[in-house]
Amino acid sequence: MDTILSIAASNLLSPLILFFVLGLAASLARSDLSVPEAVAKGMSLYLLFAIGFKGGVGVAENGASAALGMALIAGVVLSAALPLVAFVLLRGITGMGRTDAAAVAGHYGSISIVTFVAASAVLAERGIAHEGYMVAVAAAMEAPAILSALWLASRGGRDAATTAAEPGLWREIMLNGSIVLLLGSFLIGWVTGPDGMAEISGFIVDPFKGVLALFLLDMGLIAGRGLRESRGVLGPGALLFGVVMPPVGAAFGLAAGLLLGLSTGGLALLMVLSASASYIAVPAAMRVALPEANPSIYLTLSLGVTFPFNLTLGIPLYLAVASAATGG
Amino acid sequence: MDMHEAKRVEITIEAVMQKRLTDALKAAGVSGYTILPVRGGSGRSGEWSREGQVSRAGGMVQVVCIIRPDRLDPLLEAAFSVVERHIGVVCVTDCNVLRAERF
């Protein structure tokens, strides 16, 4: 318990979290502070580029093994299975309609790459190593949840096969810019290894936390705006789901990580991935495939409730549990 | 100046549906259109702004086509096949153009 509290305290007082809180508070107070769209997009590209490249270099340094393949399979299974858990939980707690519940569930099987990046920064700060290939696991967990969400919606009468066969949908999901840049940087980092890192470390290592802090300021602004505009959309049950589902997902990640024999850092990251909810890839897919689902519900839950929870309390909790479970 | 009657069709639609719409328009023989970014607005779902949208899922665009009046029906059928289930507005107005052969 002391470990959880000490990690939580240092996490809450880190610049990353404080900038997020600043953005959230500014937005809730209706300040006109905003980060230009193009700057936010640029920072997002930078973070994906940096985290992907570092992951690839990590694999180059430590070597790839069968563990990489097993971790990818575990990621795909978790992503496909977690929406089923989320759906049952959501329907049980809130009685939400099938289509909305299926759409929300899809978000909770997929991942938030920013939460992953923030958790990686916390690990780096505490000197805890992790498997570089967790970046590839993150990419693998983006899409399977979408298929599960469509299947869940189909059980209410919608034809999942037709929806999933929507022209161009799978190409858009699999080749969305975030996945291409993350996996591309990972592969380039893997191929070029430590030599490649030495060439560009001045760009991707030192400025990383500063860029992440500014990006989190923007995320705070977005989360606050979402919360402000969606007042009345989420009932107490849905809010409860938004903070209960992350630890439940993390528990599944913990079980899978222990089976895989991941290190403390790798285990914490798999828990973070399982606990986080998408707000980029899945909402876009849901707008195309399940337009009847209310976007205010899934975006507010994912971005306004679960993301702040994971960033402030979730990451320290998962790290403490991972440390205890591995004796790290 | 010699003016010719034409129809101006404005389709405001979610950004994720943009390519599907323009593909459907091309398939219906409409090769000319202009895509404009939408900054914000208000509708049945409440107020909306482009600012702070974290993904394309929340964005809107407007596709504007100017066509000869006799080509309106195929265009509307193509547009409706895409817009039917989604948030969007389709609006047709009369206009005049200078060079009819371009439309």
Side-chain angles (χ1 to χ4, degrees), chain A residues 12-207:
Chain A
L12 287 172
L13 292 176
S14 73
L16 298 180
I17 304 303
L18 292 177
F19 273 107
F20 177 78
V21 172
L22 173 64
L24 192 69
S27 185
L28 290 174
R30 297 177 184 270
S31 160
D32 65 354
L33 175 63
S34 70
V35 175
E37 195 181 352
V39 174
K41 175 81 178 166
M43 288 192 295
S44 157
L45 292 176
Y46 169 84
L47 293 172
L48 289 165
F49 161 71
I51 199 79
F53 192 86
K54 286 178 196 168
V57 172
V59 172
E61 282 173 338
N62 302 313
S65 62
L68 167 58
M70 294 305 291
L72 286 176
I73 292 169
V76 169
V77 171
L78 280 169
S79 174
L82 285 173
L84 312 182
V85 179
F87 184 78
V88 170
L89 204 56
L90 197 55
R91 298 267 279 175
I93 295 177
T94 67
M96 191 179 283
R98 173 173 290 277
T99 305
D100 282 331
V104 172
H107 288 68
Y108 283 82
S110 189
I111 59 119
S112 150
I113 197 69
V114 182
T115 314
F116 177 83
V117 171
S120 303
V122 170
L123 291 179
E125 194 172 294
R126 303 183 80 83
I128 301 172
H130 65 270
E131 291 79 356
Y133 57 69
M134 291 310 294
V135 171
V137 176
M141 289 181 75
E142 283 262 19
I146 295 168
L147 207 53
S148 297
L150 296 181
W151 178 76
L152 286 166
S154 76
R155 297 183 69 227
R158 167 172 284 286
D159 185 347
T162 306
T163 307
E166 169 84 31
L169 178 63
W170 287 100
R171 189 188 58 78
E172 283 169 29
I173 294 168
M174 302 311 294
L175 290 180
N176 89 60
S178 302
I179 294 184
V180 169
L181 181 57
L182 189 65
L183 283 181
S185 304
F186 173 76
L187 290 174
I188 293 170
W190 190 352
V191 170
T192 58
D195 291 343
M197 175 60 99
E199 286 182 37
I200 61 170
S201 65
F203 180 63
I204 66 167
V205 177
D206 294 338

Side-chain angles (χ1 to χ4, degrees), chain A residues 158 166 172 225 287 291, chain B residues 14 20 50 52 85-86:
Chain A
R158 167 172 284 286
E166 169 84 31
E172 283 169 29
R225 199 175 296 125
R287 286 316 299 150
Chain B
E14 293 168 274
R20 287 170 177 78
R50 185 174 78 177
R85 287 172 59 211
H86 292 266

Side-chain angles (χ1 to χ4, degrees), chain A residues 34 37 158 166-169 172 219 222 225 279-280 283-284 287-289 291-292 303, chain B residues 14 16-17 19-20 45 47-58 85-87:
Chain A
S34 70
E37 195 181 352
R158 167 172 284 286
E166 169 84 31
L169 178 63
E172 283 169 29
M219 291 298 291
I222 293 168
R225 199 175 296 125
Y279 41 78
I280 296 178
R287 286 316 299 150
V288 173
E292 298 85 359
L303 200 53
Chain B
E14 293 168 274
V16 288
M17 300 305 292
K19 187 167 184 311
R20 287 170 177 78
S45 310
E47 280 193 27
W48 171 85
S49 165
R50 185 174 78 177
E51 197 172 298
Q53 296 292 333
V54 76
S55 82
R56 259 187 115 228
R85 287 172 59 211
H86 292 266
I87 297 168

Side-chain angles (χ1 to χ4, degrees), chain B residues 68-88:
Chain B
R68 291 198 311 266
D70 59 296
R71 298 179 65 186
L72 181 62
D73 282 347
L75 184 155
L76 290 180
E77 277 170 29
F80 188 68
S81 69
V82 177
V83 178
E84 190 181 3
R85 287 172 59 211
H86 292 266
I87 297 168

